[in-house]
């Protein structure tokens, strides 16, 4: 108080300052933590924002009768408590996290420590948060371990930084670049169970997670095959969900053919799903022959793909979702003719197929692509939306199913294929069940609604 008068207009209190209060018969000692820093603006005020007392009960101390005995008594308090009254009592500073947590409970102004292990603790009663001495010691030690571990990690980072900055910079041969050593369970400690699908990771964290997963994938396949399969399943689900979201957003816009061609080039899985068998993209805007001697008249396909097993080529033409599939007026009765755009696209693919079959030998030789064949070139047209109305749907199905070597798929059907695959992958695994559940997807449903060899495609 003498020091405080030199720094501020401080007037010493006229009444005694209560720091410790004892109740020998009840074996209770109450401490009143105060701020005893003379230069502080809150000098002699409560040390904590809400908590006012720390009570010790059942410690079995003999009641002191003199001042020295009181000081000796305070020295006998458990580790983690300030034992010198000149420092205001209370908890050691590094344990302020415990105080901060308790002060989040409305109405609690007292921390009560019971001697022994305690049963049925912690509890909150009449403004007191009560826990046992052992519980407090466990919490104190855990915070100490976390603090020490953080200091060790910081020391490692500082050593690595100093080495790389001062030594590697001048002589990288003698002093090669150092990296922080891997610590066991570091990833578990970093993210624990807090990383959820909604977590907004930074770009660097995303890259690190992907790199770490790729690095240990082979080891996980041997030691944790079930977990790896679950991870693979989750990745497939997330990928499909993202793909569906992208297609849904794009279908709301009037995008030109070039934008849709880029989309399928970036997401070849959708084309594989449309074909229903494993394929490999050979590229977009592929020349399939038909050039004249003067260089004009070259036939270009939006995409060329080949079957994985046979190398047989297929040609793909991408239109837009706004492409009309049928004429607006009925041809006769309830029958609608295919639109000019659709029949033109079919003839375009047939002509590309014709030119490709004529020029395949030259194309293979000039491109050094000896693993492609033109046994039975299949054409795929992705165009339009599913017709509305039963007569229109019937007319569309009659036309496209009459085509011999050209398959027409609408954008809606691609979306439905993705949705169905998402439903299938989202079904919980039930390898022990003898019969499928009533709401499970059966093999017959898969055959009717999903492309063939889909499982083989996904494994590839």
């Amino acid at each position: 108080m003498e020091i405080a008068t030199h720094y501020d207009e401080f007037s010493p209190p006229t009444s005694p300052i209560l720091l410790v209060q004892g109740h020998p018969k009840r074996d209770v000692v109450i401490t009143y933590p105060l701020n005893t820093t003379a230069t502080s603006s809150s000098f002699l005020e409560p040390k904590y924002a809400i908590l006012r007392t720390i009570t010790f009960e059942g410690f079995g101390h003999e009641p002191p009768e003199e001042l020295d005995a009181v000081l000796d008594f305070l020295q006998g308090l458990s580790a983690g408590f300030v034992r010198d009254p000149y420092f205001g009592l209370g908890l050691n500073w590094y344990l302020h996290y415990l105080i901060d947590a308790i002060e989040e409970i409305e109405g609690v102004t007292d921390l009560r420590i019971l001697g022994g292990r305690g049963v049925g603790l912690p509890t909150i009663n009449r403004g007191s948060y009560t826990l046992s001495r052992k519980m407090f010691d466990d919490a104190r030690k855990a915070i100490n371990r976390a603090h020490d571990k953080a200091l060790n990690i910081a020391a490692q980072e500082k050593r690595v930084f100093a080495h790389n900055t001062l030594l590697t910079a001048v002589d990288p041969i003698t002093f090669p670049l150092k990296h922080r050593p891997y610590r066991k369970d570091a990833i578990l400690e970093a993210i624990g169970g807090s990383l959820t699908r909604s977590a907004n990771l930074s770009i660097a964290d995303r890259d690190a997670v992907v790199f770490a997963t790729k690095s240990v994938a082979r080891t996980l396949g041997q030691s944790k095959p079930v977990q790896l399969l679950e991870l693979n399943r989750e990745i497939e689900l997330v990928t499909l969900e993202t793909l569906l979201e992208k297609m849904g957003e794009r279908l709301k816009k009037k995008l030109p053919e070039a934008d849709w061609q880029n989309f399928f080039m970036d997401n070849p899985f959708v084309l594989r799903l449309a074909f229903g068998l494993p394929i490999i993209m050979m590229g977009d805007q592929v020349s399939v022959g038909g050039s004249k001697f003067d260089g004009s008249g070259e036939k270009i396909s939006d995409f060329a793909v080949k079957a994985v097993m046979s190398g047989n080529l297929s040609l793909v033409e991408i239109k837009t979702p706004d492409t009309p599939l049928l004429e607006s007026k009925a041809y006769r009765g309830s029958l609608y003719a295919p639109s000019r755009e659709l029949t033109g696209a079919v003839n375009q693919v047939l002509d590309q197929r014709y030119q490709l079959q004529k020029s395949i030998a030259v194309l293979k030789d000039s491109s050094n692509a000896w693993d492609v064949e033109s046994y039975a070139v299949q054409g795929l047209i992705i165009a339009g939306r599913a017709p509305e109305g039963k007569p229109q749907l019937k007319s569309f199905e009659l036309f496209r199913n009459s085509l011999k070597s050209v398959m027409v798929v609408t954008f809606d059907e691609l979306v439905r294929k993705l949705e169905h695959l998402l439903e299938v992958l989202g079904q919980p695994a039930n390898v022990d069940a003898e019969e499928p559940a009533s709401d499970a997807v059966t093999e017959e449903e898969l055959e009717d609604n999903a492309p063939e060899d889909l499982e083989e495609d996904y494994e590839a």
Side-chain angles (χ1 to χ4, degrees), residues 315-425:
L315 302 176
V316 184
E317 276 298 316
I318 308 296
K319 301 303 179 183
T320 70
D322 300 316
T323 301
L325 302 179
L326 301 171
E327 295 293 330
S328 58
K329 295 183 179 179
Y331 173 71
R332 186 170 295 174
S334 61
L335 191 64
Y336 289 79
S339 67
R340 180 175 181 272
E341 290 82 356
L342 181 56
T343 55
V346 171
N347 270 346
Q348 182 183 10
V349 173
L350 291 174
D351 186 43
Q352 292 170 357
R353 175 194 179 199
Y354 170 68
Q355 299 295 343
L356 174 62
Q357 290 174 326
K358 287 201 310 180
S359 310
I360 186 65
V362 175
L363 291 172
K364 289 171 65 173
D365 182 65
S366 60
S367 304
N368 290 323
W370 304 106
D371 59 342
V372 297
E373 301 293 345
S374 59
Y375 299 130
V377 179
Q378 178 77 12
L380 172 66
I381 297 173
I382 301 177
R385 308 293 293 267
E388 297 181 359
K390 194 169 183 179
Q392 291 86 345
L393 186 59
K394 170 189 171 184
S395 300
F396 175 63
E397 291 292 354
L398 287 173
F399 172 74
R400 73 168 173 179
N401 283 284
S402 68
L403 299 175
K404 183 179 179 181
S405 55
V406 178
M407 179 169 55
V408 179
V409 177
T410 67
F411 283 85
D412 291 323
E413 288 171 322
L414 284 181
V415 171
R416 185 64 191 105
K417 285 174 181 283
L418 289 172
E419 290 174 344
H420 185 75
L421 180 57
L422 186 61
E423 293 172 3
V424 173
L425 290 176

Side-chain angles (χ1 to χ4, degrees), residues 220-292:
L220 286 174
Q222 297 175 352
S223 61
K224 302 285 185 180
V226 176
Q227 288 86 341
L228 186 61
L229 285 174
E230 291 176 353
L231 174 62
N232 182 56
R233 186 186 186 94
E234 182 67 18
I235 291 173
E236 291 169 350
L237 287 171
V238 173
T239 303
L240 281 174
E241 289 171 356
T242 304
L243 199 55
L244 275 168
E245 290 176 2
K246 287 182 180 179
M247 286 201 69
E249 290 299 322
R250 296 178 67 86
L251 287 173
K252 296 176 183 178
K253 307 173 184 177
K254 290 186 176 294
L255 300 175
E257 289 182 16
D259 282 354
W260 281 106
Q261 290 168 4
N262 292 332
F263 173 78
F264 287 111
M265 191 65 186
D266 294 336
N267 302 278
F269 168 73
V270 183
L271 289 182
R272 293 199 296 271
L273 192 62
F275 273 101
L277 73 162
I279 58 172
I280 296 176
M281 297 279 291
M282 294 190 63
D284 58 341
Q285 300 297 304
V286 177
S287 172
V288 293
S291 296
K292 297 181 180 178

